[in-house]
């Protein structure tokens, strides 16, 4: 996933070609290869590898399916919307459907981070445990403490308006993804090449996941979150010299690289760590630890852990202020949030929103201390994150179809082929993922099914329905005016 482009771009005069607008505003031109690398950097990560490694060879199938029915549709649809309407998902849904639904879309884009940060920092905690004591990786109290300390440290750093953090995401692709991922795969190949058996069967009969009911496909839901964020990168489509010809090539290259980064490390983990011993939070480090011990290079374990931690923390810091800044700008224009949450500190940062979000994050972190199975908590939070984010995608697909019908002649730098079909596929896939998300996977740890449904459903209802409805229901005209007077214009 990527930090959202929060500034609302200057409106392009009606009918002005994108190329002319780019020249007028000084927008740099990107090559399709550069855009593909940017997309890969913002989407690819090793964090989700353990969730698919439990399926062994079947992880290839479980990654390809959402890539075809979700990654491709979101990429093409968001590219058309971004090349025709500035302002991001709020503008797209507002123009295509309504302003209240536009707020719901941008709210979901922000709200998903409420559970995203605890799950990301749980991965950091488990990884960091291999530098201190591997036994801590399954300790809920330790995980909760790390989440709270690192999140509030991130809030403090972000509130200082630090600009040097902007490049951390790019370095994260190299330091925390490409190098560790390549090393993991190379060690795995050498491990098998020396005649060692794979911990997971790799025969032709294992290409498809074993069907044991709907629960056997539940982990595919997490892959929707792994591929999310493509709508952020679509804003750069107008920077290509020839979007209709170059953007499809960009997406083909990016999808190939993303799939390789997702699939190969997951396979490598499955080769050395049995599925029944695999932790969803510490699985990457379990594999590194096993490979390093086998090759007698155990001293590399803490180095690999530090690299993964550094990349994850860099990603968290670059995400921390982004979605909340986007929500702030929209709320100031329309009065969606109380003036208190719209205030900026002396560095121009929306500190009150970050602190409020931090209080909720702290409460969520306590669940790691109260629920014995850390993997279960991690999985539940990942599902809630996905469910909330999928609401935004459902609205985006509906808005795209309506805009193509109501504004067929609106200038677009890129037109997705067979848009209606693509939107229908993406919408149905997103809806199916939401339904499947209510079915607990085997990684839930054998807990009560109804408890799982209640937690996931409650999280989705609270974040995706109740809170945005209250914001719309309780907002006052004075909120917009008061916010503008107290904070000034930062857009």
């Amino acid at each position: 996933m990527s930090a959202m482009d929060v500034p609302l771009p200057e409106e392009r005069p009606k009918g002005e070609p994108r190329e002319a607008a780019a020249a007028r505003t000084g927008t740099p031109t990107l090559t399709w290869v550069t855009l593909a690398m940017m997309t890969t950097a913002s989407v690819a990560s090793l964090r989700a590898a353990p969730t698919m490694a439990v399926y062994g060879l079947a992880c290839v199938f479980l990654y390809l399916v959402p890539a075809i029915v979700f990654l491709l549709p979101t990429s093409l649809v968001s590219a058309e919307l971004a090349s025709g309407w500035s302002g991001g998902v709020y503008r797209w849904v507002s123009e295509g459907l309504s302003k209240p639904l536009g707020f719901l879309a941008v709210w979901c884009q922000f709200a998903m981070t409420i559970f995203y940060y605890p799950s990301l920092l749980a991965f950091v905690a488990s990884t960091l445990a291999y530098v201190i004591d591997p036994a801590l990786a399954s300790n809920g109290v330790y995980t909760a403490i790390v989440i709270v300390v690192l999140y509030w440290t991130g809030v403090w750093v972000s509130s200082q308006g630090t600009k040097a953090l902007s490049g951390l995401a790019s370095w994260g692709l190299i330091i925390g993804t490409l190098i560790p991922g390549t090393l993991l795969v190379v060690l795995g190949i050498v491990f098998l090449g020396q005649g060692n058996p794979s911990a997971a069967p790799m025969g032709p009969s294992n290409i498809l996941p074993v069907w044991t009911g709907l629960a056997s496909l539940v982990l595919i839901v997490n892959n929707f979150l792994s591929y999310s964020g493509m709508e952020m990168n679509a804003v750069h489509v107008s920077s290509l010299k020839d979007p209709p010809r170059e953007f499809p090539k960009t997406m083909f290259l990016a999808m190939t690289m993303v799939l390789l980064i997702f699939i190969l490390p997951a396979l490598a983990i499955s080769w050395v760590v049995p599925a029944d011993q695999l932790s969803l939070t510490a699985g990457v480090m379990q594999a590194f630890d096993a490979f390093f011990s086998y090759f007698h290079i155990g001293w590399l374990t803490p180095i690999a852990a530090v690299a993964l931690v550094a990349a994850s923390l860099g990603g968290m810091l670059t995400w921390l202020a982004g979605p909340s800044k986007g929500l702030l700008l929209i709320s100031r224009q329309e009065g969606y949030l109380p003036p208190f949450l719209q205030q900026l500190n002396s560095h121009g940062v929306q500190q009150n929103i970050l602190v409020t979000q931090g209080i909720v994050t702290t409460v969520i972190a306590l669940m790691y201390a109260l629920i014995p199975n850390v993997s279960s908590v991690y999985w539940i939070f990942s599902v809630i994150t996905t469910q909330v984010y999928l609401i935004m995608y459902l609205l985006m697909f509906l808005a795209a179809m309506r805009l193509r019908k109501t504004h067929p002649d609106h200038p677009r730098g890129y037109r997705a082929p067979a848009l209606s079909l693509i939107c229908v596929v993406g919408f149905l896939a997103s809806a199916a993922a939401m339904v499947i998300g209510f079915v607990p996977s085997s990684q839930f740890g054998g807990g009560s099914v109804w408890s799982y449904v209640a937690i996931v459903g409650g999280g989705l209802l609270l974040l995706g329905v109740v809170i945005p409805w209250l914001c719309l229901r309780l907002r006052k005209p004075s909120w917009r005016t008061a916010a503008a007077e107290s904070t000034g214009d930062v857009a």
Side-chain angles (χ1 to χ4, degrees), residues 361-380:
T361 299
T362 301
V363 173
I364 294 173
L366 295 178
M367 294 186 67
Y368 280 92
L370 298 176
I371 300 179
N373 191 333
V374 174
S375 284
S376 294
V377 186
Y378 175 84
W379 175 249
I380 289 174

Side-chain angles (χ1 to χ4, degrees), residues 111 113-119 144 147-148 357-371 377 381 384 463:
T113 64
I114 294 175
F115 287 99
Y116 169 72
Y117 295 130
S119 61
I147 291 174
V148 172
Q357 182 179 0
I359 294 173
V360 178
T361 299
T362 301
V363 173
I364 294 173
L366 295 178
M367 294 186 67
Y368 280 92
L370 298 176
I371 300 179
V377 186
F381 287 162
I384 293 176
L463 287 178

Side-chain angles (χ1 to χ4, degrees), residues 272-354:
V272 71
V273 182
D276 59 352
Q277 300 176 20
L278 189 62
S279 165
L280 296 189
T281 55
V284 176
M285 287 311 303
Q286 283 180 305
F288 271 125
D289 191 44
F291 283 135
F292 290 158
S293 297
Y294 174 80
F295 290 107
H296 306 292
I297 49 175
W299 55 272
L300 281 177
T301 298
I303 296 177
V306 169
L308 292 171
V309 166
S312 295
L313 291 180
M316 184 198 77
L317 290 173
T318 55
W319 262 91
L320 195 57
S324 59
K325 183 66 174 292
L327 181 65
L328 170 78
L329 295 176
I330 298 305
S331 297
R332 288 182 61 250
Q333 293 175 2
E334 303 292 341
Y336 289 128
L337 294 179
F340 171 76
L341 293 177
Q342 299 181 37
Q343 294 177 2
L344 306 179
N345 65 9
S346 59
H347 297 284
V349 177
Q350 59 281 7
Q351 182 171 294
N352 290 353
I353 293 181
L354 294 178

Side-chain angles (χ1 to χ4, degrees), residues 177-411:
T177 301
L178 291 181
I179 294 178
T182 301
L183 180 60
L184 198 62
V185 174
V186 170
L187 291 176
I189 292 174
V190 174
F191 176 79
L192 294 182
Q194 292 184 350
N196 294 289
S198 169
M202 291 287 145
S205 61
N206 304 115
I207 294 178
L208 297 178
V210 178
W211 180 255
T212 57
L214 189 59
S216 65
L217 290 179
V218 167
L219 284 179
I220 200 172
V221 173
N222 203 48
N223 288 346
F224 279 70
L225 180 62
S226 299
Y227 290 134
S228 64
M230 297 301 295
E231 77 283 357
M232 316 293 188
N233 299 282
V235 299
H236 301 295
V237 68
S238 59
S239 296
L240 296 173
K241 291 182 178 179
D242 186 3
R245 184 175 61 88
E246 294 184 336
F247 189 73
K249 294 194 297 183
T250 294
M251 293 316 305
F252 178 78
L253 177 59
M255 284 182 61
T256 301
M257 294 178 65
V258 167
L259 285 172
L260 289 176
I261 291 174
F262 279 149
I263 292 173
L264 295 182
L267 285 175
I269 293 173
S270 72
W271 293 338
V272 71
V273 182
D276 59 352
Q277 300 176 20
L278 189 62
S279 165
L280 296 189
T281 55
V284 176
M285 287 311 303
Q286 283 180 305
F288 271 125
D289 191 44
F291 283 135
F292 290 158
S293 297
Y294 174 80
F295 290 107
H296 306 292
I297 49 175
W299 55 272
L300 281 177
T301 298
I303 296 177
V306 169
L308 292 171
V309 166
S312 295
L313 291 180
M316 184 198 77
L317 290 173
T318 55
W319 262 91
L320 195 57
S324 59
K325 183 66 174 292
L327 181 65
L328 170 78
L329 295 176
I330 298 305
S331 297
R332 288 182 61 250
Q333 293 175 2
E334 303 292 341
Y336 289 128
L337 294 179
F340 171 76
L341 293 177
Q342 299 181 37
Q343 294 177 2
L344 306 179
N345 65 9
S346 59
H347 297 284
V349 177
Q350 59 281 7
Q351 182 171 294
N352 290 353
I353 293 181
L354 294 178
V355 170
T356 302
Q357 182 179 0
I359 294 173
V360 178
T361 299
T362 301
V363 173
I364 294 173
L366 295 178
M367 294 186 67
Y368 280 92
L370 298 176
I371 300 179
N373 191 333
V374 174
S375 284
S376 294
V377 186
Y378 175 84
W379 175 249
I380 289 174
F381 287 162
S382 294
V383 171
I384 293 176
T385 300
T386 306
Q387 300 284 63
V388 173
Y389 210 10
L390 284 173
I391 294 176
M392 185 273 292
Y393 284 112
L394 292 173
L395 294 172
M396 186 185 77
F397 287 126
L398 291 176
M401 285 192 291
R402 192 162 187 275
L403 284 171
R404 178 68 79 89
K405 182 178 296 185
T406 58
H407 296 76
D409 299 324
H410 184 88

Side-chain angles (χ1 to χ4, degrees), residues 86-111:
S86 61
V89 68
Y90 173 78
R91 173 79 184 282
W92 305 341
V93 178
S94 295
E95 294 280 351
L97 301 176
S98 68
K99 281 191 174 183
L101 289 178
F103 171 70
L104 175 60
V106 78
W107 166 263
C108 288
Q109 203 172 45
F110 161 75

